[in-house]
Amino acid sequence: MIRTKFDFKKIFLFLFILLITFTLSACGVDPQPNEETELEDITLTIYTLNDFHGTIEENGNMAGIYKIGDFLIKEKQNSPETTLIISAGDMFQGTAVSSMTRGRAVVDAMNIIGFDAMTLGNHEFDWGIDVVLKYQDGKEENGEANFPFLAANIIDKKSNELITKPYTIVKKSGYKIGIIGIIGSDQTKDILASYVENYEFTDEITAIKKYTKVLRNEEKCDIVIVSAHCDTQDYGNKLSSLSDDYKIDAIINGHTHQAYYGELNFGDREAPLPYVQSGCYGQYVGKIVLQLNGKERKVINASANNLKAKSTCKTENIDIKNAISKYSKEMEVSKEVLGVSGETVYQNEGGKWAANVIATYEDAVVGIINSGGIRRNGFPLEIDKDITYGDIFEIMPFENKIKVVSIKGYELEKLANYSGLFISDSLSKRNGTVYINDEPIDANEYYRVATIDYLYEKTNYPFKTGLNPVDTDILFRDALAEAVKKKVSEKGKFYTN
C-alpha cells in the first residue's frame, strides 16, 4: 500500500484562501480590478480653481468660498466616483482672514469641499514655504490639509530633493488617475528673493515628461492630469504632441489670472487635450470633461469650459461658514472701518498714493513700489463708502516691509524710465529731464529712496548696492492703513492727495 505524505501547510493555505474568497463574496465585496479588467465607460468631470487668493466673502463678481464650496460639494456628492476637484495654486494669500490665519481658514474650507489635490503656487511662498507645508506634517493641532500639495519641479538646493510630492494618484470607478503639479520655472522672480534663494524651479516640460512616464509605467495609471501654476499656452502644442509613455490627458493652468479654455489636437492624439485657466479670486470654476473608454482604459473625447461662479454657485454652505466662523477675531479685524472715502479711487491713483506714503519714511525723498504689489482686485474704493482694514489688505496683501537706502541720481533717472513701478510725486520727468521736488536731479548725488523689501532684494534694481540701508521693520500694509486714518482725521474723509 502506498502512503501519501500530507503537506499540512499547503492544505491550510488553500483552506484559508477559500475562506477569504467565500467571506468576500458573502459580504458583496468584489475583488479590486487589475490592469487587465475591463471597466465601465464613464464621464469623468474635473472641477478646478486657480489663484483664489483667500476670497472667503462674496464680493462683486466673486462668489466667495461659501457658495463655490457648496456647489463643488454637491457635485461631488452627486457623482463621487466620477468627480475630481483640483487647485492650480495661489489659494491662500490675498484677504485679511485668510492671510492672518496663514491660509488655515481656506485649508479648512478645502477639506470640507473635498479637494483631491493642490499645486503649490508662487504666493504659497509669501510667508516662507514652511508655513504652508506645515499643513502636510501630520500634526492636527496646527491644521492639516486632507489633500496633497504637489510640486514636481521645486528642488531644495541643500538636499537636492523635491520639497513635496510630485504627484498623487486618485482612483475613480476603477481607473487610476495620476495628477502632477508643476510651477512656472521663472516664478522665483515673483517671490521675495530671501524666501526662495534655497530653491530651484526646474524646467516644466522636463518634469511633466519625467513623472508622466513614472505614472504610466511604474504606477500603471490610466489617466494623467497636469495641474500647472503657470500659463502653458506658449508650449501647449508640445504638450499635446506628447504620446505613449509621456501622453497627458488634461491641463489645468494658473498664475496669469486669465480666463480661457480650449482643446488641443496636435500630434497623433486619439482625443483632444483639454486645458483651462479660470481667472482669479473665484470668478470662475473650471470644468474639464473626459469621456473614458473602459475596455481600453483611455480618453476617447474631451472638452473644457469655464463656469461663471456668480450664476452657477447659488447657495451658501453652512458647514464651511461654521468652520470659518471660529476665526472671528480675524474677521473683526478685517471689518474694522478706517474711514469713509471722499473720492472714487482706482488702481493708478491708489498706486501713486501708496508710493507717496512710503516716501515719508526715514528721511526719504522718493518712494518707489512695484505695480504688482498694489492689487487691482482692491479697487475701486468708492466715494462715500467705508474703507475697512480688509480693503487695505486686498490692496496690499503681502507681508512686505519698508526699506530705505541711498542711491545715486543717475540710478534714479534709470528707474524713472522703468515700467511696472509706482513712483512718488516728488520725482517727475519733463522734456527728458528728471526732477526731484522740481529741482533737476544731480546724477552723482545720493538720494534717500524708500521701497519695499521685495524690490530691494532684486538684483536688477540698484537698491541692494546702495548706501546706509535701513530696515524699518514696518509692514507696508500697516503704513497704508495708518495713512488712511491720518487723512480721515485731518480731512474728515480719505483723499489720495
Side-chain angles (χ1 to χ4, degrees), residues 159-180:
S159 66
N160 201 34
E161 295 179 353
L162 293 173
I163 67 170
T164 189
K165 296 178 179 179
Y167 62 81
T168 189
I169 298 171
V170 180
K171 293 183 180 180
K172 294 288 182 181
S173 300
Y175 293 87
K176 290 185 73 173
I177 303 162
I179 306 167
I180 300 170

Side-chain angles (χ1 to χ4, degrees), residues 345-366:
V345 182
Y346 295 95
Q347 184 184 23
N348 283 339
E349 295 92 345
K352 179 66 76 169
W353 163 73
N356 287 334
V357 169
I358 202 172
T360 63
Y361 282 83
E362 295 288 336
D363 298 321
V365 293
V366 178

Side-chain angles (χ1 to χ4, degrees), residues 291-307:
Q291 301 288 338
L292 305 185
N293 177 276
K295 184 176 182 179
E296 299 185 54
R297 296 185 177 221
K298 65 181 181 182
V299 179
I300 57 173
N301 204 359
S303 64
N305 195 8
N306 269 321
L307 309 177

Side-chain angles (χ1 to χ4, degrees), residues 310-328:
K310 285 285 283 189
S311 57
T312 302
C313 310
K314 297 290 190 181
T315 56
E316 294 186 341
N317 184 273
I318 190 64
D319 292 331
I320 297 176
K321 291 199 78 168
N322 288 340
I324 291 179
S325 67
K326 68 184 179 183
Y327 303 109
S328 56

Side-chain angles (χ1 to χ4, degrees), residues 1 43 122 147 213 216 236 399:
M1 183 174 63
T43 299
N122 58 294
F147 50 92
K213 187 174 183 180
R216 295 281 186 195
E399 306 292 297

Side-chain angles (χ1 to χ4, degrees), residues 105-123:
V106 175
V107 169
D108 290 349
M110 293 174 75
N111 284 340
I112 294 170
I113 292 166
F115 272 76
D116 293 286
M118 172 184 151
T119 298
L120 294 179
N122 58 294
H123 286 298

